[in-house]
Amino acid sequence: MAERSLGSVPFRLSGKILLLMAAFWVLLYFEPVQIGPLKVSQIWKVVLIMSLALLLLRRSVPLWFVFAFLFSFKQILYLTFPYGLMTAIASALDAMMFPLVLLYLFRTFKEKPDAVTILHNFSIYASLFFIFSAVPFLLGLQSLQPQRDLAMWGLESNAATGLFYTLAPASQTYLAATLVIMASYQRFSGSLRYIAFFLATIALGTYLVYFSYTRTGWIIYAGGVIILALSIKSASRKMMAISLVAMCAVAAYAYLAQNEAFLLRMAGGATYRQDVEVSWTALMQSRFPFIVTAIDNLNSFGLPGWLIGYGDETTRGLFLQKTGMAITSHNATTTILEGSGLIGLVVYFSYVAALWRRVRHGMRTDLQLRLLIIIGGYCWIATYVLSHGLPLYAQIAFAGIFASALVRAAQSGRRVVGTSGFGQSGISSASLHPDIGAR
């Protein structure tokens, strides 16, 4: 089968796609609205997940999906059940969305000769949506979500959270979407109009990452830009990209070094507490107290807490008592441990390992696909270590890319052995999923 590179087909927008984006924007805008005991956000996710489950689960599923389902289900079983059940169900729905969308995209487009291009377009569409969804709010539209003002850092404005609930998910979704567009630069090279659109999108995405005002978002985004610049194969283009990044970095430093609000945010200070110092050591150490608190919480529950967990609602209650903030630990490992215990953590890593085992076989045949997968993996690792993990909509921005890798693996005729994340399971992927390796 002749396969075209991701970069060989120009990207195009269509009226139908724009209409779907507009409809989805309206849906997300009204997510906080309460209808009876449920919010719109919960209702549409339940409907979508049930529909996808009925459509997809009539056939055998791959091993990575089995682990994804088990991890999602584990989030509603914990020591303090049924306390916090609605929060647990919402978390389980979010955890199940990406695996279902990924499996749907793979099964729907795997037989099409241009499947990789279509799926890459899906990630571009999703990324464009997440970036431009903020424009109405920048123009003055009031969000129905709670807003976070930046007064504590001396700014008379709200953070650019847009359609999203809090700072971290907004920042991480914007940075993931912007990095996807950056890595897809070849798809915008058809004309000067598309090049201008590409540059405007990058500028808007960068603006949103900055004004979502999270330190981890800034750091992860900067790291992603550097990775993209260093990944360019052409020596001349790589030098141009590195030079451009260096010039932007110098300009940003010249501006931000005099920006008191930025310096206070980086240091963890505020307008009423300025006796703090900006340093990488201080920035990294700001996470340690939360991790220590999480471990202390786990120890207070003993072995059952470590094995099974006690749910996110109990976690937030314990943090409220000890820190004055109803939060989790800002580290995905301890967050999963508190919520679902070692059992949940093992199942989660089994899911990630099984999915990666499939994906890595499909990323070897296309340079741009490989770069996109690397960026997706980088964002996952960085947000996992420095924050709560990659949020749902950031995962959706990468869904088409990972589905492309699964399609590449299937089209290459590989038979990938399933894994639980700890070695060979002895079950071939073809026996778990008849579509893999079958031609």
Side-chain angles (χ1 to χ4, degrees), residues 148-155 264-265 268-273:
R148 173 70 179 274
D149 71 68
L150 304 177
M152 69 180 297
W153 297 294
L155 298 175
L264 287 172
R265 185 66 176 112
T271 53
Y272 53 83
R273 182 169 60 88

Side-chain angles (χ1 to χ4, degrees), residues 133-428:
S133 68
V135 170
F137 303 104
L138 298 178
L139 296 177
L141 179 68
Q142 294 298 309
S143 175
L144 299 181
Q145 299 280 16
Q147 293 299 290
R148 173 70 179 274
D149 71 68
L150 304 177
M152 69 180 297
W153 297 294
L155 298 175
E156 297 180 0
S157 62
N158 290 327
T161 51
L163 291 169
F164 310 109
Y165 188 79
T166 56
L167 296 181
S171 173
Q172 291 161 13
T173 300
Y174 293 144
L175 73 87
T178 308
L179 291 174
V180 167
I181 298 299
M182 279 189 184
S184 306
Y185 63 92
Q186 293 181 9
R187 303 296 301 281
F188 292 84
S189 60
S191 66
L192 288 177
R193 181 180 62 177
Y194 270 81
I195 293 172
F197 178 66
F198 169 79
L199 295 175
T201 302
I202 298 303
L204 176 59
T206 303
Y207 175 88
L208 293 171
V209 171
Y210 177 68
F211 275 102
S212 54
Y213 239 67
T214 66
R215 293 172 292 178
T216 53
W218 295 338
I219 293 168
I220 294 170
Y221 182 61
V225 172
I226 293 171
I227 289 173
L228 287 173
L230 295 176
S231 298
I232 298 174
K233 290 299 181 183
S234 168
S236 58
R237 290 185 177 182
K238 179 182 290 188
M239 287 304 301
M240 288 177 59
I242 292 174
S243 299
L244 180 61
V245 170
M247 287 188 293
C248 290
V250 170
Y253 178 80
Y255 168 72
L256 295 174
Q258 308 300 321
N259 186 317
E260 183 179 355
F262 172 81
L263 294 176
L264 287 172
R265 185 66 176 112
M266 284 298 293
T271 53
Y272 53 83
R273 182 169 60 88
Q274 302 188 30
D275 57 336
V276 289
E277 182 181 350
V278 178
S279 70
W280 288 105
T281 301
L283 181 59
M284 297 308 295
Q285 287 179 345
S286 67
R287 290 291 185 260
F288 293 159
F290 296 131
I291 295 173
V292 171
T293 300
I295 293 174
D296 183 60
N297 293 340
L298 285 159
N299 287 335
S300 68
F301 278 84
L303 183 60
W306 279 95
L307 286 177
I308 303 174
Y310 36 80
D312 290 343
E313 199 75 11
T314 300
T315 297
R316 291 187 175 91
L318 292 171
F319 266 86
L320 181 61
Q321 293 174 17
K322 297 179 180 180
T323 69
M325 298 178 288
I327 59 173
T328 56
S329 64
H330 289 72
N331 174 272
T333 296
T334 48
T335 298
I336 294 172
L337 281 172
E338 287 197 88
S340 298
L342 283 167
I343 293 173
L345 189 65
V346 169
V347 172
Y348 179 73
F349 274 112
S350 298
Y351 152 54
V352 172
L355 178 59
W356 172 248
R357 192 173 179 84
R358 293 282 182 87
V359 166
R360 70 187 177 92
H361 286 283
M363 61 184 283
R364 298 172 177 172
T365 58
D366 190 294
L367 178 62
Q368 194 179 17
L369 176 58
R370 189 181 309 128
L371 177 58
L372 286 159
I373 294 292
I374 289 171
I375 286 297
Y378 161 76
C379 287
W380 179 87
I381 293 170
T383 56
Y384 184 92
V385 173
L386 297 176
S387 186
H388 312 88
L390 208 59
L392 170 62
Y393 294 121
Q395 293 178 49
I396 296 301
F398 289 114
I401 293 164
F402 281 90
S404 295
L406 295 178
V407 168
R408 285 289 201 207
Q411 291 177 345
S412 69
R414 295 180 184 273
R415 293 178 63 85
V416 183
V417 177
T419 178
S420 66
F422 296 95
Q424 307 298 340
S425 70
I427 304 173
S428 72

Side-chain angles (χ1 to χ4, degrees), residues 17-31:
I17 294 298
L18 292 173
L19 185 61
L20 288 172
M21 287 182 177
F24 191 52
W25 187 94
V26 172
L27 178 63
L28 294 189
Y29 179 78
F30 287 103
E31 273 196 329

